[in-house]
Amino acid sequence: MEKKEDNQQEEEQVVNPWEVSGKDGGKIDYDKLIDKFGCQKLDQSFIDRVERLTSRPPHVFLRRGVFFAHRDFNEILDAYERGDKFYLYTGRGPSSEALHLGHLVPFMFTKYLQDAFKVPLVIQLTDDEKCMWKNLSVEESQRLARENAKDIIACGFDISRTFIFSDFDYVGGAFYKNMVKVAKCVTYNKAVGIFGFTGEDHIGKVSFPPVQAAPSFPSSFPHLFSGKDDLLCLIPCAIDQDPYFRMTRDVAPRIGYHKPALIEASFFPALQGETGKMSASDPNSAIYVTDSAKDINYKVNKHAYTGGQESMEKHRQYGANLEVDIPIKYLSFFLEDDAELEHIKKDYGAGRMLTGEVKKRLIEVLTELVERHRTARAAVTDETVDAFMAVRPLPNMFD
């Protein structure tokens, strides 16, 4: 059984699929979150093992602890070492026209996993969820799903191993059967305990969790995995999605399926400071994939919270507080060169490097990343999206 939910009244911090906030507006305590959710810390032994099994360097998000927690990742690696395959499942709730960098993190990492392990991937676009939670029309939710699909495809996924689907288009048949099986196993009181639903929430919200659970089971995709009901599933996601899969893992053995494994990421901080997730309502809290070089320069220089001192004299004397410095945190995500990052952190922390110099390097890194993404997205046509979303076998699924 998965660890039970604590009473909402006793929470020091709130982390669920719709709300993220630290105690008293502060940082998220990830150690406490691991303890509360009942997942496990992803330690160096896993990183070393991934490198050994895949014969490639571990992704920057692995080696720097961006993906920091897991559920049964060891079982995935055990299966792979035995010669058994698995599949990947991740998703996106399409609520905005363009993605910000935080949205890209799980997709960048999922692409690495797909390439490293050479396994199939299903990507769920929960346009139905956003229709219900964001008060969007069905048509607008579907439109945003296709726009977001273009950004996802631009991350470089292998079309011969990838199936992208929208809930509005795909739910039915075997998928719906699994939804019903899950729904019958979860009481209303259990759903309230996991997700915090209240009497004011409409019934669409209460009915949604089985939709996100179903892709964890290979039988939901008979055109891909017919006869492979024992195939294991690994879900890369941000840790705020954990409640969905605690529920799924609790139900899975009761309906004859394996529990899905998870590998979970911390939150990408807002420019204004590390207090949870970025706010889609504040465009200056995030760098978007549609931002120009000028936008990125302005946002970093104007809004990125730093740990530098208030004067150059004090900064030279005391150095920067790296624990709160957002430019350093962003560089930790996106500056590939470990030696350069350590050099910057050492010199900045000692006061030998100024805040403006660190921001300048960050602007260079982010501008290159966004420009590369923009170029890749421009090449994604509506026909490309249709091809990824077509219900068809994947010819190179396990090659």
Side-chain angles (χ1 to χ4, degrees):
M1 292 286 289
E2 300 297 321
K3 188 163 181 169
K4 290 185 177 179
E5 298 295 309
D6 295 330
N7 188 298
Q8 183 108 15
Q9 300 294 325
E10 298 172 358
E11 294 296 325
E12 293 187 344
Q13 57 186 9
V14 177
V15 175
N16 62 47
W18 313 288
E19 182 183 357
V20 175
S21 61
K23 182 182 179 183
D24 300 324
K27 293 171 60 173
I28 298 298
D29 186 326
Y30 289 106
D31 288 334
K32 284 187 177 179
L33 202 56
I34 285 176
D35 183 59
K36 174 184 176 263
F37 283 1
C39 47
Q40 293 80 45
K41 196 170 183 65
L42 196 69
D43 61 31
Q44 186 62 42
S45 66
F46 284 95
I47 301 169
D48 294 341
R49 192 177 180 198
V50 168
E51 182 173 16
R52 177 173 61 81
L53 289 175
T54 63
S55 300
R56 63 169 63 199
H59 194 277
V60 63
F61 295 161
L62 261 186
R63 62 182 192 261
R64 296 191 188 148
V66 173
F67 279 79
F68 72 101
H70 75 99
R71 294 181 183 275
D72 291 344
F73 186 43
N74 53 307
E75 293 193 11
I76 294 290
L77 298 181
D78 288 347
Y80 185 80
E81 194 159 21
R82 290 194 305 267
D84 298 332
K85 295 293 186 177
F86 61 93
Y87 75 99
L88 296 163
Y89 156 40
T90 194
R92 162 75 184 143
S95 60
S96 60
E97 191 84 29
L99 307 189
H100 59 55
L101 295 185
H103 294 143
L104 284 187
V105 167
F107 293 111
M108 294 170 71
F109 186 65
T110 301
K111 178 191 172 352
Y112 155 78
L113 291 173
Q114 183 183 60
D115 292 346
F117 290 99
K118 297 181 173 56
V119 291
L121 162 67
V122 296
I123 299 175
Q124 180 181 38
L125 301 174
T126 55
D127 40 11
D128 52 344
E129 176 198 21
K130 293 308 176 184
C131 179
M132 291 186 284
W133 261 270
K134 297 292 185 180
N135 199 27
L136 299 170
S137 69
V138 170
E139 294 74 20
E140 179 65 0
S141 296
Q142 289 180 298
R143 187 186 72 81
L144 292 176
R146 286 187 65 88
E147 289 303 306
N148 285 189
K150 293 176 183 178
D151 276 317
I152 292 167
I153 292 167
C155 292
F157 292 108
D158 180 352
I159 192 170
S160 68
R161 292 195 179 102
T162 305
F163 174 52
I164 301 175
F165 67 98
S166 96
D167 288 342
F168 279 134
D169 291 337
Y170 185 73
V171 170
F175 193 101
Y176 185 67
K177 289 178 186 176
N178 281 335
M179 285 170 48
V180 171
K181 289 178 184 179
V182 171
K184 286 181 67 176
C185 291
V186 182
T187 66
Y188 176 72
N189 285 340
K190 180 71 172 177
V192 168
I194 295 173
F195 299 105
F197 295 130
T198 71
E200 300 305 309
D201 285 314
H202 58 69
I203 60 174
K205 292 183 178 181
V206 182
S207 68
F208 175 74
V211 185
Q212 191 149 326
S216 307
F217 309 130
S219 61
S220 295
F221 306 100
H223 68 287
L224 299 179
F225 305 129
S226 179
K228 296 183 173 68
D229 287 359
D230 283 340
L231 198 62
L232 295 177
C233 175
L234 174 63
I235 305 170
C237 62
I239 198 166
D240 61 332
Q241 300 300 301
D242 190 87
Y244 283 121
F245 301 114
R246 292 204 301 282
M247 179 199 76
T248 307
R249 285 168 55 83
D250 185 52
V251 168
R254 296 157 63 189
I255 59 176
Y257 295 132
H258 292 298
K259 294 181 179 184
L262 281 82
I263 184 165
E264 301 177 311
S266 58
F267 303 117
F268 190 72
L271 282 166
Q272 287 84 351
E274 194 174 19
T275 56
K277 294 197 296 185
M278 286 169 281
S279 170
S281 62
D282 180 5
N284 288 320
S285 71
I287 304 294
Y288 285 82
V289 295
T290 50
D291 283 346
S292 66
K294 184 178 179 181
D295 293 331
I296 295 170
N297 189 304
Y298 170 79
K299 288 183 178 183
V300 170
N301 280 318
K302 180 73 173 177
H303 296 288
Y305 185 83
T306 75
Q309 302 298 330
E310 58 190 22
S311 69
M312 185 182 297
E313 182 182 357
K314 283 188 175 181
H315 186 82
R316 294 296 191 195
Q317 183 177 358
Y318 299 112
N321 178 359
L322 303 185
E323 285 300 308
V324 301
D325 194 272
I326 290 300
I328 287 293
K329 293 185 184 300
Y330 278 30
L331 286 171
S332 296
F333 275 79
F334 297 123
L335 180 59
E336 287 280 348
D337 190 321
D338 290 339
E340 183 184 359
L341 179 64
E342 287 309 307
H343 173 75
I344 291 172
K345 289 167 71 172
K346 184 176 179 181
D347 280 9
Y348 189 38
R352 292 188 295 271
M353 194 172 189
L354 300 176
T355 298
E357 296 174 280
V358 178
K359 285 186 172 182
K360 180 176 182 293
R361 183 66 182 114
L362 175 62
I363 289 166
E364 292 170 352
V365 170
L366 296 185
T367 301
E368 180 184 353
L369 171 65
V370 170
E371 285 296 330
R372 188 167 63 244
H373 183 87
R374 184 184 288 113
T375 300
R377 192 190 193 280
V380 179
T381 64
D382 285 329
E383 290 73 23
T384 309
V385 175
D386 291 340
F388 270 91
M389 298 183 74
V391 178
R392 83 281 183 204
L394 298 179
N396 299 324
M397 196 160 58
F398 290 116
D399 291 346

